[in-house]
Amino acid sequence: MAEKLLTVRNVTRQFGGLTAVNDVSMTIYDNELVALIGPNGAGKTTLFNMLSGLLPATSGTIAIRHDGRFYKVSGKGATSVAQHGISRTFQNIRLFGDMTVRENIMAALNNQFKENFWSTIFHTPGYYRAERKMNDEAQKLIDRYHLTAVADSPANKLPYGMQRRVEIVRALATNPKIIFLDEPAAGMNPEETAELTKMIRQLRDENNLAVLLIEHDMSLVMSLAERIYVLDQGEVLASGTPKEVSQNPAVVKAYLGGDINAAG
Ligand SMILES: Nc1ncnc2c1ncn2[C@@H]1O[C@H](COP(=O)(O)OP(=O)(O)OP(=O)(O)O)[C@@H](O)[C@H]1O
Ligand SMILES: [Mg+2]
């Protein structure tokens, strides 16, 4: 039986008079592949910002299991939640544009392999060991996720679809237990989307982690997600397997009466 990894209880977020996320509860289990869908402005990114610790909730609690204990995720920033195994990508790609793909990955690895202050100052054997381990680990990720050809190119020189892949690998480099992907297929052509679908499955299968992804591309969601949460006007409208959700009358209605499988 999979254990609870991330628990969201009655989380609300207001911006002035606007309630962007309203009393949302959800649970993500170890190693699950879950999608969060909903119309534009439904509150998906706002929820992600709270789950990844960037934005404090107005009320409610979010907790992540780490070494057998649950820790509160609050608006303390990405570095603090990364220590508890949370990592993410952004709706608008946030790579270090002037840095190469390898350097972007190294920057994320750095937190994991950080040596203590004195070993860094005096370049002790431990420092060189950590440096070597980091290089090896970066190369491993580059090979495994097919970034070899672009490894030493500046990130901002790459096609959009490739930048999204790099951002996902960088998120993986912090060794998370859960990765949040905010519209990973946005701006991709069907070929790139098919590649991405494979990559996300591989990401989950090979790394013992859970994935929660926001996506408007319903063919990707339906082929990839094991469970789906539907957010509408800040509230959970439905949740369940792809089949359950796509047959839910309220969901069909929220998607303008259309076929959810055809929505995009
Ligand atoms: N920092 C903010 N200040 C004020 N309002 C905000 C802020 N961030 C989001 N909102 C509002 O909250 C609501 C939810 O926005 P959010 O970006 O979470 O939606 P979304 O589901 O991610 O939409 P999309 O599919 O278009 O990305 C919107 O009405 C938005 O304008
Ligand atoms: Mg969004």
Side-chain angles (χ1 to χ4, degrees), residues 66-159:
H66 183 219
D67 289 340
R69 277 188 53 195
F70 277 88
Y71 293 85
K72 263 194 198 165
V73 175
S74 55
K76 283 192 204 127
T79 320
S80 122
V81 298
Q83 289 162 358
H84 295 311
I86 291 176
S87 188
R88 73 171 292 178
T89 65
F90 292 88
Q91 191 164 353
N92 305 305
I93 297 171
R94 292 192 196 175
L95 288 167
F96 301 116
D98 297 333
M99 283 163 53
T100 66
V101 169
R102 188 186 305 278
E103 287 164 347
N104 268 279
I105 294 171
M106 296 278 272
L109 286 169
N110 193 41
N111 289 324
Q112 241 192 94
F113 288 96
K114 220 172 1 203
E115 277 291 302
N116 72 43
F117 176 77
W118 295 112
S119 86
T120 308
I121 294 286
F122 293 115
H123 286 199
T124 61
Y127 170 86
Y128 288 109
R129 241 191 333 269
E131 191 79 356
R132 208 173 323 118
K133 243 171 103 183
M134 221 165 86
N135 280 313
D136 291 350
E137 193 58 33
Q139 189 60 50
K140 227 189 276 169
L141 289 168
I142 286 165
D143 293 339
R144 198 163 357 127
Y145 292 94
H146 313 294
L147 300 174
T148 319
V150 298
D152 297 301
S153 309
N156 59 12
K157 294 282 186 292
L158 301 176

Side-chain angles (χ1 to χ4, degrees), residues 35-38 44 181-186 196 200 213-218 220-221 255:
L36 177 63
I37 66 171
K44 304 181 297 295
L181 307 175
D182 196 345
E183 298 197 24
L196 176 78
I200 295 173
L213 67 103
I214 295 175
E215 194 42 74
H216 288 287
D217 185 324
M218 281 306 137
L220 182 147
V221 167
Y255 276 82

Side-chain angles (χ1 to χ4, degrees), residues 156-175:
N156 59 12
K157 294 282 186 292
L158 301 176
Y160 195 69
M162 186 59 83
Q163 290 192 30
R164 288 213 170 268
R165 295 175 68 95
V166 173
E167 203 189 18
I168 293 172
V169 174
R170 188 182 63 174
L172 176 64
T174 63
N175 195 25

